[in-house]
Each structure stands twice: as structure tokens, then as C-alpha cells.
Amino acid sequence: MRVLVIGSGAREHALLLALRRDPEVEALAVAPGNPGTAAVADQYDVDVTSADAVTELARRIGADLVVIGPEVPLVLGVGDALRAAGIACFGPSRDAARIEGSKAFAKDVMNAAGVRTASSEIVDNPGHLDAALDRFGPPAGEAAWVVKDDGLAAGKGVVVTADRDAARAHAAGLLDSGHPVLLESFLDGPEVSLFCVVDGDTVVPLLPAQDFKRVGDGDTGPNTGGMGAYAPLPWLPADVTTGIVDEIVKPVAAEMVRRGSSFSGLLYAGLAITSRGPAVVEFNCRFGDPETQSVLALLDSPLGQLLRAAATGRLAEFPALQWRDGAAVTVVLAAENYPGRPRVGDVIVGADAEGVLHAGTARRDDGAIVSSGGRVLSVVGTGADLDAARTEAYATLSSIRLPGSHFRRDIGQAAAEGKITL
Ligand code: GLY
């Protein structure tokens, strides 16, 4: 099988490494990729938001399967174009990708499926903002305001705050730039990311993971695209995961089939385990970053065959997934000032170490690897348990040099210390 992966982050680097372990994968290509993925796959510099360009590339290289990593090509219908050209694609149609692309669509599907989620309201008129804020924040009994961009914002469009002025300023800024705002009630409790390979009504869950969205230790500072993740979750009983699949993901997948927007690809349920049980924070239409880096490090089943089965309507026949024992921890190394405008162009030392996945990196003309984005590297450690995986990840990090960079030191720590309880 010849597989083309679309994307350029550490998630795609992790996908490629897991695909390479599949004995049926004979050739790997990536577009546009990064200096890390160049060591794993043939690299093609095409515009991955262009359905024509991606389809032409897939045809030219004889791809049997295209795996689309990021949400933007999916929301733009690149998967539809590939399928129309007779090329198997792992990733939902433009129509089904609205589960991530439009928070309003997602809420509608969840309500119809009877799935517990935050109450919400869309504000598209600045004149209605103050009254809407009054209906949501602490005065109405909530712990905080949750203000989201009703569209794609790579995690950074979300502000969770108990400070009404900060909530108002974020919402007003989004409205000023023409973006409708989604106000949500706050869901308390530990968060879980559950990735499910889905084809229509068939749902195959991967290991549950947890990511860390705030930039600072102890969940402080602004939201980011994700500063680290670990899997599996020792504090999450297996029956809770089963309940999430049976009572949340399957009903949502069935509702999408019912309304003619059948989902085929990776359905990512972001949940909070509240005192009343699991509730959905959001759905995404693709693998999450950085959770994928941890989850795939533990996958023993052949990833290419799994994704091809989903892309060709044979997921129900796929054997039960096999996982490696132990745990995986991913720590993101971020550039100075991230999640603000990151400092770029600095030489990175140690970026070729084992367990280091590339994201915001570039190769300079003289061959040096330099920083080129906010989240620069994902460093993955594995081990017999979370402690061992953390030790490995942080040992690797200590060998990497990037001026001004920062990372969280507490990824997976509370779970390793048994401090997360339901
Ligand atoms: N881990 C957050 C995301 O992928 O959206």
C-alpha cells in the first residue's frame, strides 16, 4: 500500500512513524511535511488546501490511501475530491467535517442524539453581547465564562475565564473581526480526549488520552493548541470509556448517518468527566495534536490497514485493536512568546534525537534545523508506566537546545501521582 499523509505537524510525523510499522505499507509520502518527516517519507510541497493539487499529487504518485491530518483541508472538501477521483481517503467529507467546522452544527447533532454537552448560545450581534454574558457567567451559577470562535481556531479561539471583562474583550474582538461567538456553560471535571475511527455506524475507539491546553504548569496562562498529552488514563475506569463510546460517540455517528452526513474518518470526542458523568466539550473531525503522538506510540495494530479499512467501508471487519503495555507521554517544546507571535529562526540542537517529532521546524540553506512556528517539537517518552514515560520524555528534552523556548514540566504528573479522581 502506498500512503500519502497530508499535513506538516508532529501529529503527521507520528502518523508516518506508525504507518511505517505496518508491514503492508510499502511507500510513504507526505505533503507538505517538515524536516522531521523528510526522513520517513517522500516529501511534496503542494498546497494542501487545494483539492485539485492534492488529487493530482495522489494520482501522480499512485497513492492507494490518503490520510488527511489537519481540519482545514477536510472542511474545504479535499476528501470529497479524492473520493470522486476514485482514491481512498481517510478523513470525512466536507459535509461531515462540519462537526468541527461549525460549533452550531455540532450542537445541533448532539442535541438530536441526546448527548450531554454544555449549554450554549451563539452571539453574532455586538448589541446582544452583554445580555448573553449575563446569562452565562458566574452570576448565573457557572464557574467561568467559556467564549469560543464559532469556527476553526486551532484551540486558540477559546477563552475560559472567571473575569467578565476578559470574556467580554475576547468576544468583542471576535465579533469585530466578523466571527460569530459561541458562549458556553463551563464543564467542570478532568478532560478526556477519546479518538474513534468511524465509518458510518461503526465506531472503533483508540486509547483515551488527556491533553494540556494551558501554556503554564498547573493549568495557568492562556490556551494553546496543546502543550502535552499522555495515554492511557490510569484514573479512567474502562466502563466509563465504554459508556462514552456507547452513549456519546455511537449516537452521534448514527445521527450523522440519519441526516445524510455520514462520518468516515477520525471522530475526536473532547469530554469533561463531570459529577453527572461524561459531557462533550467539543467534537473534532481529525486526529488531535498532541494526543496522537502519545496514542500512536502505543498502537500495535497495523495503522495503514486500520485506516484503509475505514476508508473503504470495511471497518466492521477489522480485528480488535492491539496495544503495547505501558504509557506514553508527549511534551511540546514551544518557541519563545508562544501562544503569542512566536520567535522563529533560531537553530535547534538535538532535534534529531529518538522520540522527537517535528512541527514548527524548517531546514536552513546551510542544513541547520531552525524554529519556524509556535509549537516546535513534540518529545515522546514511553515506559512501563507514566513515571517511566515522563522520565524518558523529560530526559530527551534536556538534551535539546532552542533559545527562549519553553515547555510544561507537569505533563502527566498528577495522573502519575494518583491525584486525579472522579
Ligand atoms: N489537542 C487539541 C486538538 O487537537 O484540537
Side-chain angles (χ1 to χ4, degrees):
M1 174 183 4
R2 304 176 70 80
V3 186
L4 167 63
V5 173
I6 300 298
S8 62
R11 167 185 52 201
E12 286 73 28
H13 197 167
L15 281 163
L16 287 162
L17 291 178
L19 285 163
R20 190 170 64 171
R21 298 199 298 266
D22 182 334
E24 287 197 15
V25 173
E26 59 197 291
L28 281 171
V30 63
N34 62 43
T37 61
V40 189
D42 295 332
Q43 202 118 310
Y44 296 91
D45 190 13
V46 305
D47 174 6
V48 299
T49 63
S50 161
D52 286 347
V54 174
T55 306
E56 192 279 323
L57 172 64
R59 268 211 194 98
R60 177 155 52 93
I61 64 175
D64 302 299
L65 175 68
V66 180
V67 178
I68 300 183
E71 60 275 21
V72 172
L74 294 166
V75 168
L76 292 174
V78 172
D80 305 73
L82 287 160
R83 279 184 282 269
I87 300 165
C89 173
F90 183 79
S93 65
R94 176 208 300 250
D95 192 35
R98 285 183 298 158
I99 195 78
E100 175 166 358
S102 166
K103 301 280 185 285
F105 174 79
K107 289 285 177 193
D108 201 37
V109 169
M110 283 189 271
N111 288 339
V115 163
R116 190 183 303 122
T117 180
S119 59
S120 66
E121 184 173 330
I122 292 182
V123 182
D124 54 12
N125 178 340
H128 298 162
L129 178 57
D130 283 300
L133 285 168
D134 289 343
R135 284 192 287 277
F136 273 85
E142 305 291 348
W145 281 274
V146 181
V147 182
K148 295 183 175 177
D149 185 340
D150 181 40
L152 299 177
K156 288 180 283 181
V158 183
V159 161
V160 180
T161 178
D163 176 347
R164 189 183 192 284
D165 290 343
R168 191 182 192 293
H170 184 59
L174 290 170
L175 289 167
D176 275 355
S177 50
H179 292 222
V181 166
L182 189 81
L183 295 181
E184 279 187 353
S185 57
F186 180 68
L187 294 173
D188 211 355
E191 291 197 359
V192 172
S193 299
L194 186 67
F195 299 166
C196 295
V197 178
V198 172
D199 182 35
D201 282 323
T202 308
V203 174
V204 175
L206 307 187
L207 287 182
Q210 188 177 53
D211 77 342
F212 293 73
K213 296 198 173 77
R214 302 279 188 154
V215 72
D217 284 355
D219 292 329
T220 53
N223 263 34
T224 68
M227 293 298 291
Y230 66 94
L233 307 181
W235 48 269
L236 189 71
D239 64 322
V240 177
T241 306
T242 306
I244 293 168
V245 173
D246 290 345
E247 290 158 32
I248 294 179
V249 184
K250 285 185 177 172
V252 162
E255 171 61 21
M256 293 185 76
V257 172
R258 195 194 64 74
R259 56 175 68 202
S261 303
S262 181
F263 191 97
S264 177
L266 197 289
L267 189 54
Y268 161 161
L271 308 126
I273 312 299
T274 72
S275 52
R276 295 172 57 222
V280 176
V281 177
E282 64 182 4
F283 274 104
N284 294 317
C285 67
R286 37 87 198 168
F287 282 97
D289 189 341
E291 300 98 309
T292 298
Q293 292 87 302
S294 291
V295 171
L296 293 186
L298 299 172
L299 180 69
D300 230 2
S301 295
L303 181 66
Q305 293 170 55
L306 172 66
L307 303 188
R308 181 177 59 186
T312 56
R314 291 180 295 102
L315 183 61
E317 299 155 27
F318 201 81
L321 296 187
Q322 302 296 313
W323 296 96
R324 297 174 176 178
D325 291 336
V329 171
T330 300
V331 184
V332 169
L333 182 77
E336 182 174 329
N337 203 38
Y338 177 79
R341 180 193 289 269
R343 164 176 162 175
V344 296
D346 292 300
V347 172
I348 309 165
V349 176
D352 53 358
E354 179 79 22
V356 176
L357 306 176
H358 287 225
T361 65
R363 192 175 287 283
R364 226 170 42 184
D365 288 347
D366 64 1
I369 301 286
V370 297
S371 56
S372 64
R375 292 192 292 171
V376 180
L377 301 171
S378 277
V379 178
V380 184
T382 54
D385 55 20
L386 275 177
D387 263 333
R390 275 172 49 77
T391 301
E392 185 173 285
Y394 284 107
T396 305
L397 263 165
S398 70
S399 69
I400 297 172
R401 297 280 173 270
L402 172 62
S405 61
H406 58 100
F407 59 88
R408 281 185 63 160
R409 290 168 199 279
D410 62 349
I411 305 300
Q413 184 177 359
E417 292 173 352
K419 288 187 178 154
I420 303 182
T421 50
L422 295 180

